[in-house]
Amino acid sequence: QSVLTQPPSASGTPGQRVSISCSGSSSNIGTNIVNWYQQLPGTAPKLLIYSSNQRPSGVPDRFSGSKSGTSASLAISGLQSEDEADYYCAAWDDSLNGYVFGPGTKVTVL
Amino acid sequence: QVQLVEFGGGVVQPGRSLRLSCATSGFSFYTYPMHWVRQSPGKGLEWVAGTSYDGSKKYYTDSVKGRFTVSGDSFKKTLFLQMNSLRAEDTAVYYCARGRNFHDSSGPDYWGQGTLVTVSS
């Protein structure tokens, strides 16, 4: 049972906008930065968003992140077939004294 | 460029030990936090252990405390995960990852390709 909560799945047609929520608490998202990771099938995770809303070099601006209080969200605009992947939110947890991942959200492009 | 390569996975019997290695290059070791993250077959990511940027602090998830030990060798630029008293539920792909900046809480940015550990009799 993860301390971060995400919906198990999300879907959209090409070109649509998809949003994924991540709910936590004051000991993790409420206090620390949130990262988002993309994991394509059969590959290692890749940092997609850091510090809640920053994109690493090379990540398309179709991906955006936000944070408010103890919740965060990832938005994918202009959905493309190559965006089919699992997406994980993550943050440091001060109570657990460790890093925590959400359970992941599988994005399907219809 | 930053590279992380894990070694040491394999099949091991329950109760036995295994040591994973993560060879790093492209950055100065002991200037970034380091992490071990695992993924059981068909499951999500689970953070296992980590070190502070200088290696002085070690962190573990509850399920591995007392069984796993994370350490590093700055000369060899290698991170290790010593896993003792292995259980079937430790079966997973183990990823080595580098923290994004010197803050312990920054989270991983670069990841290795992973190494599979299977605990089975």
Side-chain angles (χ1 to χ4, degrees):
Chain A
Q1 193 85 0
S2 176
V3 298
L4 302 180
T5 304
Q6 294 179 241
S9 63
S11 62
T13 57
Q16 275 191 328
R17 184 177 188 273
V18 168
S19 183
I20 301 169
S21 61
C22 176
S23 179
S25 68
S26 58
S27 64
N28 42 66
I29 294 178
T31 308
N32 296 301
I33 61 167
V34 177
N35 292 341
W36 288 90
Y37 298 90
Q38 178 193 56
Q39 188 175 32
L40 297 170
T43 69
K46 167 191 165 185
L47 180 64
L48 194 66
I49 297 287
Y50 68 92
S51 295
S52 306
N53 58 13
Q54 302 298 303
R55 284 186 307 277
S57 174
V59 173
D61 59 7
R62 303 185 290 105
F63 295 93
S64 62
S66 64
K67 180 180 118 169
S68 178
T70 59
S71 295
S73 65
L74 172 72
I76 311 172
S77 59
L79 193 65
Q80 298 183 5
S81 57
E82 57 260 39
D83 299 333
E84 274 207 348
D86 294 321
Y87 293 84
Y88 297 88
C89 61
W92 185 267
D93 191 294
D94 292 338
S95 296
L96 297 174
N97 215 24
Y99 204 64
V100 290
F101 289 91
T105 298
K106 183 175 184 60
V107 168
T108 302
V109 181
L110 302 172
Chain B
Q1 77 271 24
V2 174
Q3 285 194 312
L4 306 164
V5 181
E6 301 93 338
F7 299 96
V11 180
V12 61
Q13 293 178 328
R16 304 298 291 265
S17 299
L18 201 63
R19 187 174 85 155
L20 304 183
S21 302
C22 171
T24 73
S25 60
F27 65 100
S28 298
F29 200 77
Y30 279 149
T31 58
Y32 292 87
M34 295 296 295
H35 302 271
W36 287 101
V37 178
R38 68 185 177 186
Q39 187 169 35
S40 299
K43 303 296 184 182
L45 300 174
E46 179 187 21
W47 178 85
V48 174
T51 73
S52 57
Y53 74 97
D54 60 357
S56 64
K57 294 182 235 178
K58 313 287 176 67
Y59 306 98
Y60 301 93
T61 192
D62 284 348
S63 63
V64 308
K65 282 178 184 173
R67 299 190 300 124
F68 289 12
T69 302
V70 60
S71 63
D73 183 325
S74 58
F75 182 74
K76 294 181 179 178
K77 301 187 69 174
T78 300
L79 184 73
F80 302 102
L81 185 66
Q82 177 67 42
M83 304 185 294
N84 299 332
S85 303
L86 282 162
R87 306 167 181 167
E89 54 265 35
D90 296 318
T91 294
V93 173
Y94 284 73
Y95 295 101
C96 166
R98 192 196 78 166
R100 191 176 59 79
N101 62 38
F102 68 90
H103 291 292
D104 296 350
S105 61
S106 62
D109 55 359
Y110 288 94
W111 297 66
Q113 84 290 347
T115 187
L116 176 62
V117 173
T118 303
V119 183
S120 173
S121 54

